[in-house]
Amino acid sequence: QAYTSVNISRKEMMKYLKIGADNNNTFCIYFYASYIGDKDKNEKIRYLKKGDELGDIKCTYSLGKELIYDKSLALYPEECAFYLEKAANKTKDGTEAFDYAMELQSGFHITQNEQKASKYFKLAADKGNIDAISEYYSCIKNERSMNKNSVDDKEFLKYMKIGAQNDLPECMYDYAMTLKNSKEYGLLFDDEEVKQYPELIKKAAEKNYGKAVFVYSLMLKNGDGFPVD
C-alpha cells in the first residue's frame, strides 16, 4: 500500500520487505518472494519455503504453483502436489482446494487422481466456491451414471439444489426436471417447491444450457407453466 500511495523506490520497498521477511513476518515473506519474481528463483523458493514452514497458506500455495510451472527446478510432481495439497487442506474460501482438484483431475502437472479430485472439489464446494460446486456436481453425476448406488440420493440432491440456488445452469435444469418428475421418482417435495420448475427451466435456458433451451421452447409452445408464445 505504501508503494502505491507514497513516493518510495522499489529498492527501498524491497529493503524493508526483506527485513520483515528475515524477521519471520509472513506478510513480508510472501510479498518479498512475490516481488523477487524470476530474477532469483532460488531466493524466491527459499523464502516461500520459509513462509510455508511458518504456516502461511499463501506461501504454501504459491510454492506449489512455482514448483509446477518452473521446469528448470527439475522437481518431481509429488513435491509440487505436496505443497498444493497442504494449502488445499488449509483453504478458507475454497480457492486452493479447487485449484488442487483441477490439477488432480487434469493430470497435466501432477499425478492424475479423479477420486481425490472429487474429494477436494467437495471441500471447496463446502467452502462456497461456485466453480467447485459445478465441478463436484459433475463428478457425482458422472459417478451415478456408471453406478447409481455410488452416490447417496440425498448427497446428489443436496449439491444439485445448491448448484441451482447458485444459478448453475446444469444444476437448475436437473433440479427442475427432478421437481417435475418427483412423484415418478418417488421423491417428496412440497407443492411450493415443485412450482419452481418452470422458472428454473427458463433461467437455465437464458444461460444457453442446450437441454433447457429445448424444453423451455416446448413449454412455451404447449403452454406448460407459461402462456402459449
Side-chain angles (χ1 to χ4, degrees):
Q1 289 176 339
Y3 186 60
T4 57
S5 61
V6 178
N7 187 20
I8 180 174
S9 70
R10 182 183 180 84
K11 184 177 179 180
E12 187 82 351
M13 176 191 74
M14 292 296 285
K15 170 187 172 182
Y16 287 106
L17 282 176
K18 188 176 187 305
I19 290 172
D22 290 340
N23 282 279
N24 297 334
N25 181 294
T26 55
F27 176 90
C28 291
I29 291 171
Y30 174 73
F31 281 102
Y32 179 64
S34 298
Y35 283 123
I36 289 173
D38 294 331
K39 292 180 181 178
D40 188 340
K41 293 178 181 178
N42 290 329
E43 177 85 342
K44 182 176 185 178
I45 294 295
R46 185 169 74 85
Y47 275 94
L48 287 176
K49 283 187 174 181
K50 182 176 183 177
D52 164 66
E53 290 166 2
L54 290 169
D56 186 81
I57 186 174
K58 296 190 298 299
C59 289
T60 304
Y61 176 71
S62 295
L63 180 57
K65 299 299 285 188
E66 188 71 23
L67 300 183
I68 275 181
Y69 292 114
D70 192 343
K71 303 296 183 184
S72 67
L73 295 169
L75 293 163
Y76 294 104
E78 287 72 17
E79 295 183 69
C80 306
F82 171 80
Y83 290 106
L84 290 180
E85 183 170 334
K86 188 175 180 181
N89 288 327
K90 293 181 179 181
T91 192
K92 293 181 179 179
D93 63 4
T95 300
E96 296 82 6
F98 174 73
D99 189 73
Y100 180 47
M102 290 294 286
E103 293 288 357
L104 287 166
Q105 186 182 65
S106 72
F108 291 152
H109 303 111
I110 62 177
T111 303
Q112 188 177 41
N113 187 328
E114 292 187 1
Q115 185 175 2
K116 198 170 186 179
S118 181
K119 170 188 171 182
Y120 280 93
F121 279 135
K122 183 180 187 301
L123 174 60
D126 290 341
K127 297 289 185 179
N129 185 289
I130 304 300
D131 292 329
I133 294 169
S134 178
E135 290 292 340
Y136 182 60
Y137 178 68
S138 293
C139 286
I140 57 178
K141 185 177 179 179
N142 288 337
E143 286 178 35
R144 281 174 64 93
S145 69
M146 294 182 284
N147 178 3
K148 189 176 185 300
N149 297 321
S150 63
V151 180
D152 179 76
D153 286 344
K154 288 184 179 179
E155 175 90 347
F156 185 55
L157 283 170
K158 172 186 174 182
Y159 287 93
M160 183 194 296
K161 186 173 182 178
I162 290 173
Q165 291 170 338
N166 282 280
D167 292 340
L168 296 174
E170 182 180 14
C171 294
M172 287 193 289
Y173 173 79
D174 287 352
Y175 188 50
M177 297 307 289
T178 299
L179 291 172
K180 180 185 178 183
N181 300 306
S182 56
K183 291 182 180 178
E184 180 183 335
Y185 296 157
L187 299 171
L188 297 176
F189 294 99
D190 61 55
D191 291 341
E192 289 303 312
E193 198 165 8
V194 173
K195 288 178 182 178
Q196 296 176 30
Y197 141 69
E199 195 59 33
L200 285 168
I201 292 290
K202 179 183 177 184
K203 288 175 72 176
E206 288 172 345
K207 288 182 174 286
N208 296 318
Y209 186 67
K211 293 179 180 178
V213 172
F214 176 70
V215 171
Y216 181 48
S217 66
L218 290 179
M219 292 170 71
L220 291 171
K221 179 181 178 181
N222 300 323
D224 178 11
F226 300 100
V228 173
D229 186 355

